[in-house]
């Protein structure tokens, strides 16, 4: 008797959550090439879509571990998945930099996927810095207004 039928519970925690975001980038490239919607999709929107899909895929793949309250396994799987995403982003940047893919759909999809993830990381870091500095700026503003 096993907790989960089949072998999916053994494989899913080891897969990087990149399939949905890569598919979304491929669809965005196809839409841009066909000329639907008046041109290019803004990179900010694609970065939000890619990160949301990655998080959704991560939660969906780990739902069965969370259902049985294997929290240490969930933490380990999340760390593994984030490390794999970082590795795949590094490989994608290297492939783009070395021009291993000629101009086409695959290169455009990979470029959009890498750029959207890097922009999302930059947005998260900037937001963290902004939120950390905001109380000090507001305090200084109130101090300046009162003097």
């Amino acid at each position: 008797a096993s907790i989960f039928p089949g072998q999916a519970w053994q494989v899913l925690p080891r897969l990087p959550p990149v399939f949905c975001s890569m598919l979304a980038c491929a669809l965005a490239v196809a839409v841009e090439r066909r000329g639907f919607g008046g041109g290019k999709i803004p990179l900010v929107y694609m970065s939000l879509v890619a990160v949301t899909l990655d998080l959704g895929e991560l939660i969906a793949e780990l739902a069965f571990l969370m259902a049985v309250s294997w929290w240490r396994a969930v933490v380990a799987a999340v760390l593994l998945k984030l490390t794999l995403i970082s590795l795949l982003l590094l490989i994608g940047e290297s492939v783009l930099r070395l021009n291993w893919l000629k101009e086409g759909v695959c290169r455009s999809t990979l470029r959009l996927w890498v750029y959207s993830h890097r922009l999302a990381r930059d947005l998260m870091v900037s937001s963290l810095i902004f939120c950390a500095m905001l109380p000090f700026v507001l305090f200084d503003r109130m101090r300046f207004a009162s003097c």
Side-chain angles (χ1 to χ4, degrees), residues 7-139:
Q7 300 298 320
W9 67 274
Q10 294 178 348
V11 176
L12 287 178
R14 296 184 209 151
L15 293 176
V18 297
F19 302 109
C20 291
S21 62
M22 189 68 82
L23 181 64
C25 289
L27 289 173
V29 167
V31 166
E32 287 177 0
R33 288 184 178 260
R34 295 282 184 192
F36 296 127
K40 297 191 131 217
I41 298 172
L43 189 58
V44 173
Y45 297 143
M46 278 310 301
S47 67
L48 295 174
V49 167
V51 169
T52 304
L53 288 173
D54 285 344
L55 288 176
E57 190 173 353
L58 184 136
I59 291 169
E61 290 173 352
L62 298 179
F64 58 91
L65 290 177
M66 290 185 262
V68 293
S69 299
W70 290 354
W71 300 113
R72 291 181 183 169
V74 170
V75 170
V78 167
L79 291 175
L80 175 68
K81 287 175 176 294
L82 294 177
T83 304
L84 288 174
I85 286 178
S86 296
L87 176 67
L88 290 175
L89 285 169
L90 181 67
I91 290 171
E93 286 177 343
S94 299
V95 166
L96 291 172
R97 192 176 309 123
L98 294 173
N99 289 325
W100 285 354
L101 292 174
K102 301 300 177 205
E103 285 299 323
V105 175
C106 290
R107 182 177 176 88
S108 298
T109 301
L110 182 63
R111 183 184 309 126
L112 183 60
W113 185 76
V114 168
Y115 287 176
S116 63
H117 278 83
R118 291 302 184 204
L119 180 64
R121 183 197 62 186
D122 291 345
L123 287 172
M124 284 188 272
V125 170
S126 298
S127 298
L128 178 69
I129 292 170
F130 176 76
C131 290
M133 296 296 293
L134 186 62
F136 301 109
V137 171
L138 292 176
F139 176 74

